[in-house]
Amino acid sequence: MNVVECKGLAKHQGSVKALDDLSFTIKEDTITGLIGRNGAGKTTLLKILAGYWYESSGEVRVFDEHPFNSLTVSANTILIDDQMSFSNSLTLQELLQEASNFYMNWDMELAQRLFSYFNFDSKQIHENLSKGKKSTFNIIIGLAAKCALTIFDEPTTGMDAAVRKDFYRALLKDYLAHPRTIIISSHHLDEVEDLLEDVLLINEGKRYLHLSIDDLKEYAIGLRGKSAIVRQWLNDKEVIHSQSIGTDRSYVVVKNDFDHDRATRLGIEVSPVSPSDLSVYLTNQKQGGIDDVFSKREFR
Amino acid sequence: MLNTEGSKPIYIQISEWIETEILNGNFKEDDKVYSQYKLAEMFTINPATAAKGLNLLYEENILYNKRGLGKFVSSNAKEIITDKRKNQKLKGLIQEVVLESERLNVSDDELIEMIKTLMEERKGELK
Amino acid sequence: MMSLVNVNLGNVVKKQYLFKLRSYVGVFTSLVVLQLIALLFSLGGTGGGGGGSGNFHVMINYYSGDVVIIFTILWVFINGILITTKAYREDDFSFVTNRLTNNLSNILFLLTASLVGGVTAIASGILLKVIRYFFFNAEPIITTFSISTIEIIYGVLATILYVFLFGSLGYLVGSLVQLYKKLAIILPVAFFGILFALASRDIMLVEGVGEFYFKETSFLLFTVKVITTSGILLIVSLTISNRQEVRL
């Protein structure tokens, strides 16, 4: 069964097309990483899925319902982001209590364990928490709510490395115990990639790639060697990224659809490309990168 | 234990980890190996990735399936693993030799001659 | 797969409503403060006059709870606006809701606030007279203190209805402003503009509207008028906020 289905989904905000003809489906009980550059439309997409925003055109289904104003979607979906707001007149502990009234699958034991593990004070007010602490509290809500569709939009904002690691581990353990559909968007793809089953890469509001993380890891390959040899080798290949190293050597990323041994035999160094680097290369608007901005300058 | 920086895909690292456990005798013939969920929990990886690693070993006949019970170590698992590793390692070494001789402008015949001489010497020593 | 949770509208509205009673405590503390201030104002008398000839001097002072009621109406109007604002709305959307349940629970909350506001306003009116009677050395010549229970009940009911009417009006104003932010400036300007424009032509808008509601002598008719008007205001609010996006 598909938990999420989008067909030709578009969202216009003024003259900006935040989403543009986006189509994809998400299978139940998978962890999907939503990847893309800033402004690619990740947050817009997630807010439409959670029923917060409505689409301009196209079709969106969550649990086979139109999410905007659907109570079923609201009761079975939770979107954790740094915009979550909670009443100032309730303490953190009272907020957990309120959440347990609303979410039928709420796991109070897990919530309380995480609450004390992360050293929260019951009497604190959400608004007075630091950025990292707010994010940490929000993910407690997100995990304990046990919603069939759990969405994290940049959940680790402001968290230090140790807490981020704890969160990823908590998320995985809870997922193993209670499989559900999870979508997570993150700038730290290298940190979350091991947790993911699938990756949805969007660029300028469109689907760019949707494949398993293992396929993404093998999607492309990096070639390093003498520019002349590399260039000769490239003739029929799809170049994803290229940059020169020093005077006569090049690093080129191409689609991984050939026998590496032949390249190695030519003296070309073959290396895997990390998914996070690859998604940057794939979504660079133009060929080249920051270096081309400075191309007019030459240092001697 | 896993190299997440990513020279190798995680599922391959998982299968290699299990292979090593088998070679070290931690999993014996007809032992049940860890489930995808146990592996996922141990290494903080997605269970689908762990399953892919297990399937790789199943396809290579290192593991066999018992319906509904999980995956078990085949009787000739150790042999398959050692054979495989021999092949991979040797192939890699030879590749390096070939490349280096290219860089040093050593001709094919010269290289084969060198290997032959070396083998002869070893035989002499062993006698 | 986690089995899907089934929810129904009534249940969610109830949960949202109870959540609001717990989390909007500030609304009620502000009521207490306002009514106390109103009481202080009223202690000096809400209106009066005097006159005399020679050694004979007459002072007339009216002591009533009107100021308290006016303050309560202002309070409910402002809070009607307040609960439509981003901060309050987004608190709801952190939990289970849609726009309909959000509005319905807000309306229930407004009703509750009107109930509390109406009862306390009348109670403070009575309290005011008691204070004057016992603590201030002023002998009332005529006292309307001995009103019948049935009059008090009518008084309370009428006040609740007034308060709810203005709460609904506030809610509509708030919903309109949320829809189109510039209305926060346009609405007051337009209101006073029309008021003065009409007044300059001897058309008294406030008086006319006031007469329609406040001079109604039949209590039943008055109730029907107020409930119908509130209903219309709320349905309009509900309709215009049904496409409102959250967490913008």
Side-chain angles (χ1 to χ4, degrees):
Chain A
M1 196 191 107
N2 290 326
V3 170
V4 177
E5 288 183 28
C6 292
K7 225 182 278 166
L9 184 63
K11 173 74 179 173
H12 309 282
Q13 284 163 322
S15 59
V16 181
K17 282 183 184 171
L19 294 179
D20 184 13
D21 196 21
L22 181 63
S23 301
F24 68 95
T25 57
I26 288 180
K27 294 191 300 278
E28 71 176 326
D29 294 352
T30 53
I31 306 182
T32 302
L34 180 62
I35 309 299
R37 308 292 283 264
N38 285 332
K42 297 181 301 247
T43 296
T44 306
L45 171 63
L46 297 180
K47 289 199 170 162
I48 290 173
L49 295 185
Y52 291 152
W53 297 1
Y54 53 86
E55 69 281 8
S56 303
S57 63
E59 203 188 331
V60 53
R61 311 290 287 175
V62 175
F63 306 119
D64 217 20
E65 289 209 17
H66 181 236
F68 195 78
N69 274 341
S70 158
L71 272 188
T72 308
V73 171
S74 181
N76 292 286
T77 305
I78 193 161
L79 168 57
I80 303 300
D81 61 14
D82 60 2
Q83 276 180 295
M84 281 191 106
S85 94
F86 294 102
S87 169
N88 285 337
S89 24
L90 297 176
T91 65
L92 294 184
Q93 197 54 244
E94 285 169 334
L95 287 175
L96 294 184
Q97 209 61 53
E98 292 298 339
S100 80
N101 294 338
F102 282 102
Y103 292 104
M104 307 306 280
N105 291 333
W106 181 263
D107 184 345
M108 190 51 113
E109 204 198 323
L110 176 69
Q112 295 296 354
R113 280 164 178 269
L114 290 169
F115 192 82
S116 57
Y117 176 80
F118 289 114
N119 293 316
F120 280 102
D121 175 358
S122 297
K123 295 266 177 286
Q124 271 173 306
I125 301 295
H126 190 263
E127 202 184 31
N128 301 337
L129 296 174
S130 71
K131 210 171 183 185
K133 273 285 191 180
K134 262 185 203 158
S135 299
T136 312
F137 181 80
N138 296 353
I139 59 135
I140 295 178
I141 301 261
L143 289 174
K146 295 217 181 335
C147 287
L149 175 59
T150 302
I151 305 173
F152 293 101
D153 188 10
E154 295 292 345
T156 55
T157 310
M159 286 183 192
D160 61 43
V163 177
R164 289 211 297 273
K165 226 176 149 193
D166 280 341
F167 162 61
Y168 299 135
R169 182 115 184 102
L171 177 66
L172 183 83
K173 288 192 83 134
D174 202 48
Y175 167 73
L176 290 172
H178 306 276
R180 54 197 129 141
T181 311
I182 295 172
I183 304 175
I184 178 165
S185 90
S186 175
H187 281 120
H188 303 277
L189 177 57
D190 46 342
E191 283 183 8
V192 293
E193 62 180 53
D194 292 348
L195 300 180
L196 306 178
E197 181 166 345
D198 291 326
V199 171
L200 174 60
L201 176 64
I202 63 173
N203 189 36
E204 292 174 347
K206 290 191 177 75
R207 185 186 72 177
Y208 199 91
L209 281 176
H210 190 190
L211 34 64
S212 82
I213 182 75
D214 299 315
D215 290 344
L216 183 65
K217 280 194 172 184
E218 294 176 347
Y219 183 84
I221 198 89
L223 305 173
R224 199 186 307 263
K226 281 224 158 72
S227 301
I229 301 174
V230 173
R231 211 174 301 135
Q232 188 191 347
W233 175 254
L234 286 178
N235 53 17
D236 59 336
K237 288 179 183 60
E238 195 183 315
V239 177
I240 294 165
H241 169 78
S242 77
Q243 78 189 62
S244 48
I245 313 162
T247 45
D248 64 341
R249 289 173 68 78
S250 296
Y251 175 65
V252 181
V253 175
V254 293
K255 262 191 101 167
N256 183 17
D257 50 6
F258 57 90
D259 183 14
H260 302 166
D261 289 350
R262 278 182 55 215
T264 326
R265 263 177 259 135
L266 282 173
I268 299 172
E269 216 181 296
V270 178
S271 60
V273 183
S274 81
S276 93
D277 285 344
L278 176 62
S279 46
V280 171
Y281 300 150
L282 285 172
T283 54
N284 258 338
Q285 283 94 337
K286 297 164 196 84
Q287 283 293 322
I290 188 74
D291 277 347
D292 297 275
V293 177
F294 298 96
S295 59
K296 295 281 184 293
R297 288 192 190 177
E298 271 191 37
F299 296 100
R300 282 168 198 278
Chain B
M1 240 177 294
L2 295 184
N3 174 11
T4 49
E5 291 306 308
S7 58
K8 274 180 191 163
I10 301 293
Y11 71 94
I12 291 180
Q13 294 187 48
I14 288 293
S15 66
E16 286 178 352
W17 181 81
I18 294 171
E19 284 176 2
T20 311
E21 291 295 286
I22 294 171
L23 287 181
N24 293 342
N26 292 337
F27 290 123
K28 295 192 173 59
E29 203 180 308
D30 294 325
D31 275 359
K32 185 184 183 302
V33 296
Y34 294 140
S35 70
Q36 61 179 108
Y37 304 104
K38 174 76 183 164
L39 289 167
E41 208 258 312
M42 283 171 71
F43 297 110
T44 322
I45 55 170
N46 191 287
T49 308
K52 217 170 161 184
L54 288 169
N55 271 329
L56 201 64
L57 296 176
Y58 170 73
E59 280 161 16
E60 290 172 344
N61 293 319
I62 294 166
L63 302 179
Y64 65 93
N65 245 339
K66 268 192 200 168
R67 222 164 224 286
L69 291 174
K71 289 196 162 54
F72 293 78
V73 179
S74 309
S75 51
N76 54 346
K78 270 193 180 183
E79 281 167 60
I80 302 174
I81 298 165
T82 30
D83 275 1
K84 187 173 78 169
R85 291 206 174 174
K86 256 189 244 165
N87 272 330
Q88 280 175 354
K89 185 136 195 205
L90 212 56
K91 213 176 152 195
L93 285 173
I94 292 172
Q95 186 146 41
E96 270 179 48
V97 170
V98 171
L99 273 175
E100 190 63 18
S101 41
E102 262 172 41
R103 276 182 216 126
L104 299 171
N105 286 323
V106 177
S107 76
D108 294 5
D109 293 340
E110 213 175 328
L111 179 63
I112 292 165
E113 204 51 49
M114 278 168 83
I115 294 172
K116 274 184 181 165
T117 329
L118 208 68
M119 286 169 112
E120 299 287 314
E121 277 174 26
R122 286 281 296 166
K123 273 177 199 162
E125 275 169 29
L126 285 173
K127 265 174 196 169
Chain C
M1 170 72 180
M2 217 158 256
S3 59
L4 286 189
V5 169
N6 281 313
V7 284
N8 66 58
L9 185 83
N11 204 283
V12 174
V13 171
K14 192 180 123 198
K15 283 177 184 171
Q16 283 278 341
Y17 168 69
L18 293 174
F19 164 63
K20 276 164 201 197
L21 286 187
R22 285 187 290 264
S23 65
Y24 293 4
V25 279
V27 171
F28 293 106
T29 37
S30 68
L31 174 67
V32 173
V33 172
L34 269 176
Q35 287 192 341
L36 279 176
I37 293 171
L39 265 181
L40 281 176
F41 276 135
S42 309
L43 278 175
T46 50
S53 58
N55 291 337
F56 183 63
H57 191 78
V58 182
M59 264 292 275
I60 306 168
N61 274 322
Y62 302 103
Y63 299 105
S64 78
D66 286 356
V67 175
V68 183
I69 292 175
I70 289 166
F71 269 50
T72 307
I73 282 174
L74 262 170
W75 163 82
V76 82
F77 180 74
I78 291 165
N79 278 298
I81 295 176
L82 217 60
I83 60 174
T84 62
T85 54
K86 191 176 151 84
Y88 283 81
R89 190 156 24 88
E90 308 242 311
D91 285 355
D92 291 9
F93 277 86
S94 288
F95 299 126
V96 178
T97 191
N98 64 10
R99 283 139 202 90
L100 182 61
T101 58
N102 170 254
N103 277 314
L104 291 179
S105 58
N106 276 342
I107 290 167
L108 279 182
F109 178 78
L110 270 183
L111 251 170
T112 313
S114 307
L115 218 79
V116 173
V119 171
T120 51
I122 295 297
S124 6
I126 297 170
L127 183 70
L128 176 70
K129 287 177 185 172
V130 174
I131 294 171
R132 281 298 307 187
Y133 189 79
F134 284 106
F135 296 99
F136 291 83
N137 191 18
E139 290 287 319
I141 299 164
I142 307 158
T143 177
T144 52
F145 199 64
S146 54
I147 33 173
S148 66
T149 329
I150 197 84
E151 275 176 318
I152 292 183
I153 290 172
Y154 273 131
V156 169
L157 284 178
T159 313
I160 292 170
L161 285 171
Y162 279 138
V163 174
F164 186 60
L165 179 66
F166 280 93
S168 310
L169 186 64
Y171 198 70
L172 175 64
V173 170
S175 303
L176 281 168
V177 170
Q178 287 307 310
L179 190 73
Y180 186 58
K181 290 283 184 302
K182 282 180 186 153
L183 283 177
I185 300 156
I186 297 171
L187 275 182
V189 169
F191 176 73
F192 287 109
I194 292 168
L195 207 67
F196 288 124
L198 289 176
S200 67
R201 286 182 199 146
D202 278 339
I203 307 167
M204 292 301 163
L205 182 70
V206 176
E207 262 176 40
V209 173
E211 256 171 50
F212 178 72
Y213 293 106
F214 309 140
K215 291 251 169 97
E216 178 58 57
T217 44
S218 152
F219 188 77
L220 186 71
L221 219 57
F222 164 75
T223 310
V224 171
K225 279 179 179 175
V226 170
I227 289 180
T228 312
T229 315
S230 301
I232 292 169
L233 295 174
L234 292 172
I235 286 170
V236 173
S237 314
L238 229 126
T239 315
I240 59 172
S241 62
N242 205 39
R243 291 274 285 171
Q244 180 82 49
E245 294 186 327
V246 289
R247 281 204 214 168
L248 282 169

